[in-house]
């Protein structure tokens, strides 16, 4: 038995495939719907309850449809990905994009769903902790707050002594699109968690509680 089967559940089917970086602007995707979203984060090693190292403050949002996801949205006609994600962060989070904005170098990963003819592009925006707290506060005044967006949350990246509460529990939430994969990809490529820590969180089982 593989480790996943041993825990009594199969890997969730994933309709999204990673687009190689060199193929993101490929003709294959010109007729597709495109959207771009962003992980806003700050390094943060200040212990929670004097015990848990939060590692980073990563922002996600509760959407109007009940799913968790990242700020961002659909690319409008004539817009490039970076312009769109910055505009959506202004609409959904009231982000001051004259101070904080993403550029092409902040691209993390792109995914493609053939079934939905949908390409999803993912960016990162690193800020310091003081600015992150200000961004959280400003988000309450966003144009889309209370409609498209129901709130900003920080992702708990630590795991409690029962090996389940904290990050593993958070990963049981319902995530829109491939936002859960985007989160895991960013944690790994931004070196926020080690591959071992990521694997532990993915394999954690409530039976241990
Ligand atoms: P409107 O302004 O109401 O049109 O919404 P939007 O432009 O903000 O679009 P939205 O953020 O809902 O993103 C468009 C589509 O992308 C959604 O229907 C989802 O399928 C997908 N999506 C939304 N959020 C995320 C996310 O965080 N990650 C990923 N991978 N996909 C997402
Ligand atoms: Mn209390
Ligand atoms: Mn939007
Ligand atoms: Mn959106
Ligand atoms: Mn939109
Ligand atoms: Mn909108």
């Amino acid at each position: 038995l593989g480790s996943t089967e041993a825990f009594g559940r199969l890997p969730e089917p994933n309709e999204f495939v990673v687009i190689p970086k060199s193929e993101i602007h490929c003709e294959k995707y010109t007729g597709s719907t495109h959207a771009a979203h962003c992980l806003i984060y700050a390094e943060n090693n200040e212990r929670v309850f004097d015990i848990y190292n939060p590692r980073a403050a990563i922002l996600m949002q509760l959407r109007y449809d009940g799913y968790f996801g990242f700020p961002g949205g659909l690319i409008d006609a004539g817009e490039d990905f970076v312009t769109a994600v910055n505009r959506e962060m202004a609409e959904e989070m009231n982000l001051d994009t004259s101070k904080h904005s993403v550029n092409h170098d902040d691209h993390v990963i792109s995914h493609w769903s053939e079934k939905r003819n949908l390409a999803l592009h993912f960016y990162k925006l690193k800020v310091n902790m003081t600015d992150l707290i200000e961004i959280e506060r400003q988000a309450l005044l966003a144009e889309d707050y209370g409609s498209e967006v129901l709130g900003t949350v920080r992702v708990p990246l630590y795991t409690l002594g029962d090996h389940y509460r904290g990050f593993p529990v958070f990963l049981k939430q319902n995530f829109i699109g491939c936002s859960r994969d985007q989160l895991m990809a960013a944690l790994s490529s931004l070196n926020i968690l080690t591959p071992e820590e990521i694997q532990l969180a993915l394999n954690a089982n409530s039976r241990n509680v």
Side-chain angles (χ1 to χ4, degrees):
L1 282 185
S3 62
T4 323
E5 286 166 279
F7 285 124
R9 59 187 166 80
L10 293 166
E12 276 157 33
N14 197 341
E15 63 175 275
F16 291 96
V17 297
V18 176
I19 305 175
K21 287 231 183 206
S22 59
E23 289 175 23
I24 288 162
H25 297 283
C26 182
E27 259 181 48
K28 180 181 170 192
Y29 306 109
T30 45
S32 312
T33 303
H34 290 259
H37 294 87
C38 183
L39 176 145
I40 302 172
Y41 76 110
E43 280 177 2
N44 180 23
N45 294 307
E46 222 165 281
R47 302 221 167 222
V48 179
F49 310 132
D50 293 326
I51 305 172
Y52 307 111
N53 183 346
R55 316 294 280 275
I58 288 179
L59 302 184
M60 291 192 80
Q61 62 186 21
L62 182 63
R63 294 161 46 90
Y64 68 95
D65 53 17
Y67 287 96
F68 283 95
F70 292 99
L74 296 165
I75 317 292
D76 291 342
E79 238 181 358
D80 64 40
F81 304 159
V82 159
T83 306
V85 74
N86 288 322
R87 172 186 52 73
E88 287 283 348
M89 288 195 288
E91 293 172 5
E92 298 185 355
M93 300 204 67
N94 190 31
L95 184 73
D96 179 354
T97 51
S98 68
K99 194 170 175 203
H100 302 291
S101 60
V102 304
N103 61 57
H104 294 285
D105 299 337
D106 295 313
H107 178 258
V108 175
I109 195 167
S110 291
H111 290 85
W112 158 247
S113 163
E114 182 162 20
K115 193 176 107 190
R116 299 190 218 185
N117 194 20
L118 176 66
L120 294 165
H121 309 285
F122 193 49
Y123 292 83
K124 59 151 165 71
L125 177 57
K126 188 177 185 180
V127 299
N128 66 40
M129 202 51 203
T130 307
D131 287 352
L132 185 122
I133 291 166
E134 183 58 21
I135 289 168
E136 288 176 319
R137 292 195 169 135
Q138 287 299 323
L140 292 170
L141 304 172
E143 194 184 314
D144 290 340
Y145 180 78
S147 52
E148 270 185 49
V149 182
L150 301 181
T152 306
V153 298
R154 290 190 203 180
V155 176
L157 293 176
Y158 48 80
T159 301
L160 276 65
D162 56 20
H163 307 295
Y164 188 61
R165 284 181 295 158
F167 190 42
V169 168
F170 183 77
L171 292 175
K172 308 274 180 215
Q173 301 287 349
N174 288 304
F175 295 93
I176 192 74
C178 58
S179 56
R180 187 177 183 273
D181 291 347
Q182 290 172 325
L183 173 65
M184 301 317 280
L187 288 172
S188 161
S189 69
L190 303 174
N191 295 312
I192 296 170
L193 294 183
T194 65
E196 293 74 31
E197 288 168 328
I198 290 172
Q199 211 45 57
L200 272 176
L202 291 172
N203 291 341
N205 191 281
S206 59
R207 227 181 285 161
N208 300 330
V209 175

